[in-house]
Amino acid sequence: MGQKYHLCCIFFWIACLLLCASSDGLMRINLNKKSLDLDTLNAARLVRKQNMYSQYNAIHHNLGDSDIDIISLKNYMDAQYFGIIGIGSPPQNFTVIFDTGSSNLWVPSSKCYFSLSCYFHHKYKAGKSSTYTKDGKSCKITYGSGMISGFFSKDNVLVGELVAKDQIFIETTREVGPTFLLAKFDGIVGLGFQEISVENAPPLWYGFLYVTFRSTMLKQGLIEKEIFSFWLNRNPDDANGGELVFGGVDPNHYKGNHTYVPVTRKGYWQFEMGDFLISGESTGYCSGGCAAIVDSGTSLLAGPTTIIAQVNHAIGAEGIVSTECKEIVKEYGELILELLIAQTRPEKICKQIGLCIFDGAQYVSTDIQSVVEKEKRKASANGDVLCTACEMAVVWIENQLRKNQSKEHILAYVNQLCERLPNPLGESTVGCDQIASMPNIAFTIGSRKFSLTPEQYVLKVEQAGTAVCLSGFMAFDVPSSQGPLWILGDVFMGAYHTIFDFGDDRIGFAESA
């Protein structure tokens, strides 16, 4: 038994060296960035947006020293930020999203046999951990585009140099939905409050304060200050994605003093926000106050449609589906018209143009090369936008030809239809060459104005090798009895260093450095 314990300590020590060592005594994990991709951004955004609906409804229905630990984060497409944790003794490493918009910790289980996504990610093996404790209670978390299910277990969780003993977490045995298949993360560490935790399981940060001994909660005190803080690095040329610090803050990552506001409702990190301004002028909508949530798991800034429409009008944003559709009409409208007049079979036109491949039964994207790529296309709410837009244009033009309309009338009519296309995810494009002339946007928090410049709220992505600029704002409406609500995601947190103070139930914001 002593030899086994000794070996476990050696394994733990080696793992800590790999994960924790740095020249200044603080644990940092340096991880590389990946380029921004529109399809994966859409897939990630869909899950977070849909999940927010179910979680928000659930909660409102039910209701620089040894004590500082730093987790370096990986910036994945300015959409999700990842870090590494270890579960068990010796630690089994997992790449996870640190998500202030949920409260459960989950990773795939070695008993996940029938979900393809589990075979693409690391799996927890209980039999290889000397500190594993069986729980076995089943659970399920439903998302807008999928679900996970599994059972609870207990084990030690290593986060940097901190160890949460007997931490309750979920071993997933089913992960349903293409997003989990394509995810760059193995699991999620929820950093919200226990009030929104499935089966009331305590969140990970709770484990840094207390340890369970014979059903009694004893003070563990792994961190001196009951806070954690986020710095998200939005510099696209910097390989460092940012840092999550438990028990303190890194003064190198913010300027000036933090402005604090109280948490108004536990569950999410929710607070009361004041007026919202465009170019310094009040929109009036939140002058009497709006609820807001700080969510590291949401990529963009989500707010009431009434305001988002004003913002996108002010910055010249246009629905991305409409943009792609009109681009097809502009570039290929006359060619489609000529091919139809020449009696080309409608279902073959988009293949002939080169936007789709016709396999005898259906169109597929030209860049689909594997089963995983096919799933990736399914995960995107728009699918293959260019191919779909071409198909729609063919149908519309053919319909107008039957009515003997002129070329000018047909192309103008199809453009009008493009403008009416809905955007499934609410995303909008802006002209990349217009960013310098766009207005600043400001949130009023704690009587202070927090401004975002166009460079901060516009995301540059790539689609089919072409640069596309997206508005960082998306529409999100909660039921009227609970709204209006803002979700301040990574676009905001990238501009403002954020402290989550669970000791004093407050949130602090300061300009990022």
Side-chain angles (χ1 to χ4, degrees), residues 26 54 74 94 129 171 181 189 223 238 240 243 251 267 272 288 333 356 361 380 417-418 432 447 512:
L26 298 177
S54 59
K74 172 183 178 180
F94 298 91
S129 173
E171 292 190 51
L181 176 66
V189 172
I223 54 178
D238 193 339
N240 183 11
E243 287 181 350
E272 188 74 10
C356 303
S380 171
L417 292 182
C418 287
C432 294
S447 73
S512 290

Side-chain angles (χ1 to χ4, degrees), residues 10 39 50 71 78 99 132 134 167 170 251 274 284 286 288 290 311 336 377 388-389 394 408:
I10 293 175
D39 290 331
Q50 295 296 333
I71 311 298
D78 279 346
D99 177 22
Y132 162 75
K134 181 179 179 180
Q167 175 65 37
I170 298 171
C286 289
C290 283
V311 172
I336 293 172
R377 287 299 178 181
T388 302
V394 169
E408 292 74 18

Side-chain angles (χ1 to χ4, degrees), residues 340-360:
L340 285 170
I341 292 174
Q343 303 297 309
T344 304
R345 287 177 57 188
E347 65 271 18
K348 288 190 173 183
I349 288 178
C350 294
K351 173 193 173 183
Q352 191 166 329
I353 292 174
L355 296 175
C356 303
I357 294 175
F358 186 71
D359 64 1

Side-chain angles (χ1 to χ4, degrees), residues 38-88:
L38 181 58
D39 290 331
T40 314
L41 175 62
N42 283 342
R45 192 186 319 158
L46 178 65
V47 170
R48 289 301 299 147
K49 180 182 178 183
Q50 295 296 333
N51 187 37
M52 183 62 69
Y53 274 112
S54 59
Q55 288 182 346
Y56 191 78
N57 287 337
I59 176 178
H60 286 77
H61 245 72
N62 297 328
L63 300 153
D65 52 35
S66 60
D67 293 314
I68 295 179
D69 207 52
I70 300 176
I71 311 298
S72 293
L73 302 176
K74 172 183 178 180
N75 177 5
Y76 181 62
M77 309 180 315
D78 279 346
Q80 295 165 335
Y81 288 79
F82 302 96
I84 296 177
I85 64 170
I87 302 179

Side-chain angles (χ1 to χ4, degrees), residues 92 94 98 130 139 193 238 249 352 389 399 429:
Q92 302 171 40
F94 298 91
F98 291 98
S130 62
C139 60
F193 289 90
D238 193 339
V249 298
Q352 191 166 329
N399 177 265
T429 61

Side-chain angles (χ1 to χ4, degrees), residues 3-173:
Q3 184 179 9
K4 180 179 179 182
Y5 176 79
H6 181 66
L7 289 173
C8 286
C9 288
I10 293 175
F11 276 123
F12 187 88
W13 180 73
I14 293 173
C16 196
L17 282 179
L18 293 174
L19 290 172
C20 311
S22 68
S23 60
D24 60 3
L26 298 177
M27 192 289 304
R28 287 182 171 86
I29 304 167
N30 295 317
L31 299 168
N32 297 324
K33 294 184 179 182
K34 291 183 178 289
S35 60
L36 190 58
D37 172 83
L38 181 58
D39 290 331
T40 314
L41 175 62
N42 283 342
R45 192 186 319 158
L46 178 65
V47 170
R48 289 301 299 147
K49 180 182 178 183
Q50 295 296 333
N51 187 37
M52 183 62 69
Y53 274 112
S54 59
Q55 288 182 346
Y56 191 78
N57 287 337
I59 176 178
H60 286 77
H61 245 72
N62 297 328
L63 300 153
D65 52 35
S66 60
D67 293 314
I68 295 179
D69 207 52
I70 300 176
I71 311 298
S72 293
L73 302 176
K74 172 183 178 180
N75 177 5
Y76 181 62
M77 309 180 315
D78 279 346
Q80 295 165 335
Y81 288 79
F82 302 96
I84 296 177
I85 64 170
I87 302 179
S89 303
Q92 302 171 40
N93 292 342
F94 298 91
T95 299
V96 296
I97 295 177
F98 291 98
D99 177 22
T100 60
S102 64
S103 298
N104 289 94
L105 163 57
W106 64 261
V107 295
S109 172
S110 61
K111 297 177 182 177
C112 181
Y113 305 119
F114 304 111
S115 291
L116 184 60
S117 60
C118 288
Y119 291 92
F120 290 90
H121 297 98
H122 299 96
K123 294 186 285 187
Y124 171 76
K125 301 175 180 64
K128 292 190 174 183
S129 173
S130 62
T131 48
Y132 162 75
T133 302
K134 181 179 179 180
D135 184 299
K137 187 175 183 179
S138 61
C139 60
K140 180 173 71 173
I141 301 177
T142 301
Y143 297 86
S145 59
M147 57 83 70
I148 63 164
S149 61
F151 57 91
F152 284 100
S153 292
K154 292 182 181 180
D155 208 334
N156 292 351
V157 177
L158 172 68
V159 184
E161 295 177 335
L162 302 177
V163 179
K165 297 180 180 179
D166 295 322
Q167 175 65 37
I168 298 175
F169 67 100
I170 298 171
E171 292 190 51
T172 62
T173 54

